[in-house]
Amino acid sequence: MFSYEYVTEEQLAGFDKYKYSAVDTNPLSVYVMHPFWNSVVKILPTWLAPNLLTFSGFVLLVLNFCMLAYFDYDFYASGEGYQHVPSWVWVLAGFLNFTAYTLDGVDGKQARRTNSSTPLGELFDHGLDSWACIFFVVTVYSIFGRGAAGVSVFTLFLILWVVLFSFILSHWEKYNTGILFLPWGYDLSQVTISIVYIITSIVGVEAWYGPIILKFQYRDLFTTMILSCAFIITFPVSLYNVFKAYRSGTLKQHSFYEAMLPFISPLMLFGICMLWVCTSQYDVIEKHPRIIYFLVGTAFSNITVSPLLTDYL
C-alpha cells in the first residue's frame, strides 16, 4: 500500500501547466452563499492552510455520520415504537453539516486569498468531496429511517448510487470540456439538509410520519427531491454542456470510448454491488445497511480519483 504509485510522473508534470476552470450559475450559490463565504473568509487568519479547511469540513461530516451511527445504527430510531434520537443531536447535526458546507465553500477562496492555490489542493478537495457523498446521504436518512413512514434500506442504496453518479457526472463533464460546471443540486441539498435537521429538533421525527397531501408523504418528497436534482437538473445540463463543447469543437476527448472512460469503473462497481446485495443469502443489505453504504461510498471514492487525475494531463 505504501509503495503504490498513486500519481504518475506524467500527472505530476501536468500539474505545472494545469489551470482550474469552474462555472457556478446556481442563484442560491451566486446571490446568497458566495457573499456569505466572502464575509467568512475575511475573518480567517492568512496562515490558515486551505487544505486544513477542506479536511476539517470533511471531518465534521464523518463526525455527523459517527454520531448518528451511535444513536441510530440500524436506521430504526425514527420509527414508531422505538427510542428516538435526542433533539440536541439534530441541532448539532444541522450545525456540523452547515459548517462543513461553509468550509467547503471558503477553502478555495482562502487559497486564492493567500496565493496558495495548487492542483494538488483541488485534487484533495474533490477527492474528499467524492467520499463525503456517503456521509451526508446516510446521515440524513436517519430522519426518516426504514420504519413504516420511512424508506427501505434498499431504496436508500439506490438513492445513494444516484448521488454518486451525479458526482461523477459533473467531473465527466469537466473531463470532456475542461470546465467544471458546479451542480445546482449540491448547494440546494446542503442548505435543505441543514434546515431539516433543525426543524426535526423542534418538531420531532413524528412530524414526518403523516402525508403532505393525499397519500404523498415526506419520505416521497425526500426521494423525489434527490431524483429530480439528478435527472431533471444535473443529468440534462451535463449532457447539454458536453454537446455544446462538441458542436464548438472544444471537446477534449476525440472518441466515444475516450469520452465514456470515467463511467466504466463506477458502472462495474455498481454491477458488482448490486449483484452482491440482490443475491446475498445472508440478506446483507437488511442486516448491515450502514456497513454496505460505507463500503460502497469508500470504494466509489477510491476509483473516482483516477478520472480526476486525468484532468491534469
Side-chain angles (χ1 to χ4, degrees):
M1 179 179 68
F2 296 103
S3 61
Y4 182 78
E5 186 182 62
Y6 290 95
V7 182
T8 66
E9 291 295 331
E10 184 182 9
Q11 289 164 339
L12 284 172
F15 287 162
D16 295 330
K17 56 186 178 181
Y18 173 78
K19 184 177 181 180
Y20 179 65
S21 179
V23 175
D24 191 354
T25 58
N26 184 356
L28 173 63
S29 182
V30 172
Y31 297 110
V32 180
M33 298 315 304
H34 277 294
F36 171 67
W37 294 333
N38 288 334
S39 299
V40 171
V41 76
K42 291 177 182 178
I43 66 175
L44 298 177
T46 54
W47 53 260
L48 192 59
N51 284 349
L52 180 59
L53 297 176
T54 302
F55 185 67
S56 297
F58 175 75
V59 169
L60 293 183
L61 291 178
V62 175
L63 181 60
N64 248 1
F65 177 85
C66 294
M67 180 174 66
L68 266 298
Y70 177 79
F71 287 99
D72 183 28
Y73 183 79
D74 294 319
F75 305 107
Y76 281 117
S78 293
E80 294 185 70
Y82 291 90
Q83 182 177 354
H84 297 328
V85 173
S87 296
W88 67 265
V89 172
W90 297 122
V91 174
L92 185 57
F95 173 76
L96 293 179
N97 191 84
F98 187 77
T99 303
Y101 171 52
T102 299
L103 291 175
D104 188 44
V106 302
D107 56 0
K109 295 180 182 296
Q110 176 74 348
R112 290 184 288 275
R113 176 184 177 223
T114 58
N115 197 29
S116 56
S117 299
T118 65
L120 278 175
E122 181 194 347
L123 178 63
F124 183 65
D125 185 7
H126 294 169
L128 289 182
D129 285 344
S130 68
W131 201 8
C133 294
I134 164 67
F135 297 113
F136 71 78
V137 171
V138 174
T139 302
V140 76
Y141 179 44
S142 286
I143 291 177
F144 304 96
R146 53 170 163 174
V151 297
S152 70
V153 289
F154 182 72
T155 299
L156 197 278
F157 174 77
L158 298 178
I159 290 174
L160 175 60
W161 272 108
V162 170
V163 173
L164 295 178
F165 273 111
S166 295
F167 177 87
I168 196 67
L169 193 65
S170 296
H171 287 276
W172 169 77
E173 191 177 359
K174 182 188 178 186
Y175 168 77
N176 282 284
T177 66
I179 302 173
L180 179 62
F181 296 89
L182 300 175
W184 285 26
Y186 173 69
D187 296 286
L188 179 62
S189 66
Q190 292 307 301
V191 173
T192 301
I193 287 172
S194 300
I195 292 174
V196 169
Y197 281 141
I198 302 302
I199 293 175
T200 303
S201 72
I202 298 171
V203 301
V205 295
E206 297 88 352
W208 312 118
Y209 288 170
I212 303 174
I213 183 172
L214 299 178
K215 294 184 178 180
F216 190 77
Q217 297 186 319
Y218 286 101
R219 66 182 180 190
D220 303 318
L221 178 63
F222 167 69
T223 303
T224 302
M225 285 182 62
I226 293 177
L227 296 181
S228 296
C229 284
F231 293 107
I232 297 179
I233 300 177
T234 303
F235 184 65
V237 170
S238 292
L239 287 181
Y240 171 73
N241 287 328
V242 172
F243 179 72
K244 188 167 63 172
Y246 169 74
R247 289 291 299 269
S248 65
T250 58
L251 204 64
K252 292 179 64 178
Q253 313 307 324
H254 304 294
S255 70
F256 180 79
Y257 171 74
E258 290 177 334
M260 301 305 291
L261 270 177
F263 284 124
I264 294 178
S265 294
L267 285 172
M268 290 177 63
L269 178 64
F270 172 73
I272 292 170
C273 292
M274 184 64 72
L275 181 65
W276 179 31
V277 165
C278 293
T279 62
S280 172
Q281 295 181 355
Y282 183 70
D283 203 8
V284 66
I285 189 66
E286 289 291 334
K287 294 182 178 178
H288 298 290
R290 189 175 291 272
I291 294 177
I292 294 297
Y293 300 149
F294 180 77
L295 182 150
V296 168
T298 303
F300 175 86
S301 177
N302 185 273
I303 64 176
T304 300
V305 172
S306 293
L308 293 182
L309 283 171
T310 58
D311 291 332
Y312 306 112
L313 293 177

